[in-house]
Amino acid sequence: MKTLRTFSLVAMALAGLLALPVLARESPAQRDAADLARFQRFASPPQDSMHYWQINRFQYLGPDAKGNDALALWTGVNQVYLVTVDSPCLRLEYANAISLTSVSRNVNARMDYVRYGHGNRCRINTIQKVDYKAMLAEDKAGAHAGE
């Protein structure tokens, strides 16, 4: 019985050591940077405004090359915008929900804000429409190439 318990502990320790390189492969900051680069590849040039009905979800993408925080905003099926906000935008990466200041569901760069938490807000710096269908197609093609 003692041998079986010792064997189990050794097996669990080895499994943990084997998983360590996988876990250490990418930090959250590296993952954010990779996601941001991916969205930027499919983003249009900056536009002055965007019209939306609702925000279905959002993803914090970390700081861009200028140090501004970036977000991907899903406003409909396959409708995604890459938005940067002026820094410092304290603790935005921990936000559970966001909203946008707007007039008639129209958001303007350099005039409107991303709101989150208890009264926090950051001014929207740039707005770029993302060709999300092309992004998904590339993901699908890459997945099939690896088969």
Side-chain angles (χ1 to χ4, degrees), residues 98-143:
I98 64 167
S99 65
L100 304 174
T101 60
S102 66
V103 175
S104 301
R105 301 284 183 198
N106 199 44
V107 176
N108 295 293
R110 296 170 303 284
M111 290 177 63
D112 288 307
Y113 294 82
V114 170
R115 293 187 299 190
Y116 63 99
H118 300 287
N120 296 322
R121 68 182 199 164
C122 296
R123 190 171 58 116
I124 296 172
N125 193 19
T126 62
I127 300 169
Q128 295 173 274
K129 188 164 178 64
V130 175
D131 187 350
Y132 194 61
K133 287 183 182 180
M135 195 168 135
L136 293 175
E138 181 184 87
D139 291 349
K140 188 174 183 179

Side-chain angles (χ1 to χ4, degrees), residues 28 37 41 47 56-59 68 76 80 83 90 98-99 120 123 131 134 142:
R41 266 197 330 272
Q47 57 193 55
N56 296 334
R57 76 179 182 121
F58 74 99
Q59 179 181 350
N68 294 319
V80 180
V83 173
L90 302 175
I98 64 167
S99 65
N120 296 322
R123 190 171 58 116
D131 187 350

Side-chain angles (χ1 to χ4, degrees), residues 9-136:
L9 289 173
V10 169
M12 287 182 357
L14 284 174
L17 287 175
L18 291 174
L20 199 62
V22 173
L23 295 174
R25 193 175 297 158
E26 193 173 59
S27 72
Q30 290 170 321
R31 188 176 50 248
D32 288 348
D35 286 345
L36 176 57
R38 190 168 144 245
F39 278 94
Q40 286 174 328
R41 266 197 330 272
F42 293 96
S44 69
Q47 57 193 55
D48 292 329
S49 64
M50 71 178 212
H51 189 77
Y52 75 103
W53 291 105
Q54 64 185 1
I55 298 173
N56 296 334
R57 76 179 182 121
F58 74 99
Q59 179 181 350
Y60 177 78
L61 299 170
D64 67 4
K66 295 179 182 177
N68 294 319
D69 288 319
L71 298 167
L73 304 177
W74 279 258
T75 60
V77 177
N78 295 325
Q79 187 138 11
V80 180
Y81 290 92
L82 178 61
V83 173
T84 62
V85 293
D86 288 338
S87 289
C89 206
L90 302 175
R91 305 176 68 76
L92 177 60
E93 64 271 24
Y94 302 113
N96 292 323
I98 64 167
S99 65
L100 304 174
T101 60
S102 66
V103 175
S104 301
R105 301 284 183 198
N106 199 44
V107 176
N108 295 293
R110 296 170 303 284
M111 290 177 63
D112 288 307
Y113 294 82
V114 170
R115 293 187 299 190
Y116 63 99
H118 300 287
N120 296 322
R121 68 182 199 164
C122 296
R123 190 171 58 116
I124 296 172
N125 193 19
T126 62
I127 300 169
Q128 295 173 274
K129 188 164 178 64
V130 175
D131 187 350
Y132 194 61
K133 287 183 182 180
M135 195 168 135
L136 293 175

